[in-house]
Amino acid sequence: MLARFSALKRSDRLRAIGWVVLGAGLAGAAVFYWIKLRTAEPELDDMTALGYTKSMQHGMGVLMGPLGGMLSDWQHDLTSPLGQALTIAVCTALAAGYFFRVAWVLDAEDEDVSVHERTRE
């Protein structure tokens, strides 16, 4: 397996690494979400807190305006298990995209070199 991998062109190796990073990252994000969802504590809502969250949102609106409420909602969404899993997936996709982009650039450089060689002949 390693011999077959090392026999590939550099751009093909980078693409293979990109696919491995993407697959492992997405699988890791799914496992992270599944574990966090199983161990999550019950969410604080108005039924259990007797109006606490409504009062907190009103106070946030008075102190910081609508932008403060929106930022608070974003923070809540990003710290939820789904938000954390999506953050892992997006970061993984960016890392894999780096490998795909470098492979694409290497192929474009090889193509440019071969075109220049053909025009000289």
Side-chain angles (χ1 to χ4, degrees):
M1 179 79 173
L2 189 57
R4 187 195 301 170
F5 181 75
S6 62
L8 295 173
K9 288 187 341 183
R10 185 173 179 206
S11 61
D12 291 335
R13 284 193 306 258
L14 286 170
R15 268 192 209 89
I17 291 170
W19 283 114
V20 168
V21 166
L22 185 63
L26 293 179
V31 168
F32 177 85
Y33 175 70
W34 183 73
I35 290 172
K36 282 288 206 173
L37 195 61
R38 299 288 181 246
T39 61
E41 295 179 6
E43 190 171 319
L44 187 65
D45 59 4
D46 282 335
M47 296 301 288
T48 59
L50 300 175
Y52 172 75
T53 55
K54 190 174 187 178
S55 172
M56 186 179 70
Q57 287 173 349
H58 175 71
M60 180 75 67
V62 169
L63 290 173
M64 300 178 78
L67 183 62
M70 184 174 66
L71 290 175
S72 176
D73 290 341
W74 285 1
Q75 177 192 12
H76 180 265
D77 292 341
L78 287 174
T79 57
S80 70
L82 180 61
Q84 291 174 341
L86 287 175
T87 302
I88 293 170
V90 167
C91 290
T92 298
L94 288 173
Y98 167 77
F99 287 103
F100 294 134
R101 173 69 177 155
V102 171
W104 181 70
V105 168
L106 288 175
D107 282 343
E109 286 177 358
D110 288 345
E111 185 178 312
D112 286 345
V113 168
S114 65
V115 167
H116 288 298
E117 289 175 357
R118 279 187 257 154
T119 57
R120 287 184 184 175
E121 294 175 355

